[in-house]
Amino acid sequence: EPEVTQTPSHQVTQMGQEVILRCVPISNHLYFYWYRQILGQKVEFLVSFYNNEISEKSEIFDDQFSVERPDGSNFTLKIRSTKLEDSAMYFCASTIGGHGYTFGSGTRLTVV
Amino acid sequence: KNQVEQSPQSLIILEGKNCTLQCNYTVSPFSNLRWYKQDTGRGPVSLTIMTFSENTKSNGRYTATLDADTKQSSLHITASQLSDSASYICVVGPSGGYNKLIFGAGTRLAVHP
């Protein structure tokens, strides 16, 4: 069964550093998403991406965040200057449209 | 405000027993409701998905119900197994937009031998 692949599975970074989280969505999917889950809290929507541009973003997704689909297969989330409160599990997801949604296994980001 | 509330927060049952988890939502406009299973440190895995016109959907030992009039859903697990220990999350998809999902906080289920 097709999977959404995320790398790395765990990343530790120092406060103020830039991080890039990587995702390979399912190949024929058209919509791509990033969600995050702070430990012990709900999964929260960050951003959706369609047709090579951001289609919707949440209040969390401020100027420190950016997304890119650089080569038609990878989908990345960049955090420019990490803060302690950015520590969370970050999930990538993709869908062909409609109701089918597949999540990756997540990247655990720890900011120290 | 679009919200998804789940109860109970946590539940302990014995292996082989049945249980029912509840979900209430205030998301509008509404398109679909999903139940996901999430193991600790892993991504959510879809169990069922229902549109507003569906009342029930089964997936093996999991049966979800939906009442779009009262905005309530339940997930019934029959003959529980130790591997059912996980968080069960009710997730609502608003209509329109680009299919973003709104998550509940989940019910943490522990199945004991």
Side-chain angles (χ1 to χ4, degrees):
Chain A
E1 190 170 328
E3 290 184 340
V4 173
T5 305
Q6 290 187 243
T7 55
S9 57
H10 189 190
Q11 175 141 10
V12 181
T13 188
Q14 288 201 324
M15 194 168 51
Q17 294 297 304
E18 174 184 286
V19 295
I20 297 176
L21 309 184
R22 303 182 190 281
C23 170
V24 179
I26 294 173
S27 60
N28 63 338
H29 283 190
L30 302 174
Y31 299 82
F32 313 107
Y33 309 85
W34 285 99
Y35 289 79
R36 80 170 185 190
Q37 186 175 31
I38 294 171
L39 186 63
Q41 297 187 21
K42 298 181 184 184
V43 176
E44 303 171 287
F45 169 76
L46 290 178
V47 65
S48 59
F49 191 86
Y50 171 72
N51 201 25
N52 284 319
E53 61 182 20
I54 290 174
S55 47
E56 190 172 359
K57 60 184 181 179
S58 71
E59 295 172 351
I60 303 167
F61 195 89
D62 61 21
D63 293 343
Q64 292 298 313
F65 292 89
S66 62
V67 290
E68 198 174 37
R69 189 157 159 81
D71 56 12
S73 61
N74 291 287
F75 180 50
T76 62
L77 174 69
K78 182 192 291 186
I79 309 175
R80 288 191 182 81
S81 178
T82 50
K83 309 184 191 79
L84 294 177
E85 54 264 37
D86 293 328
S87 295
M89 281 287 283
Y90 288 81
F91 294 108
C92 174
S94 68
T95 174
I96 196 167
H99 303 315
Y101 232 92
T102 303
F103 282 88
S105 293
T107 293
R108 179 171 296 284
L109 176 66
T110 303
V111 182
V112 297
Chain B
K1 185 179 176 182
N2 289 333
Q3 285 192 321
V4 179
E5 303 290 339
Q6 292 188 243
S7 61
Q9 274 190 323
S10 62
L11 182 63
I12 299 173
I13 61 173
L14 294 177
E15 187 179 11
K17 298 297 186 183
N18 304 334
C19 66
T20 300
L21 315 180
Q22 302 292 340
C23 173
N24 298 303
Y25 62 93
T26 57
V27 177
S28 182
F30 168 83
S31 173
N32 57 80
L33 187 143
R34 310 152 186 256
W35 283 92
Y36 281 85
K37 178 183 180 185
Q38 186 180 27
D39 293 311
T40 302
R42 306 288 295 175
V45 174
S46 180
L47 296 175
T48 64
I49 177 170
M50 293 177 288
T51 63
F52 64 87
S53 60
E54 295 177 286
N55 299 120
T56 186
K57 184 72 70 78
S58 290
N59 177 4
R61 295 180 296 102
Y62 302 103
T63 300
T65 65
L66 173 63
D67 185 335
D69 291 330
T70 61
K71 299 187 177 181
Q72 295 179 324
S73 176
S74 67
L75 179 71
H76 186 74
I77 305 174
T78 58
S80 60
Q81 301 174 358
L82 298 178
S83 59
D84 292 334
S85 296
S87 284
Y88 290 85
I89 309 176
C90 177
V91 182
V92 176
S95 64
Y98 289 86
N99 303 314
K100 79 172 186 188
L101 300 179
I102 300 171
F103 283 70
T107 292
R108 180 167 294 280
L109 175 66
V111 181
H112 288 182

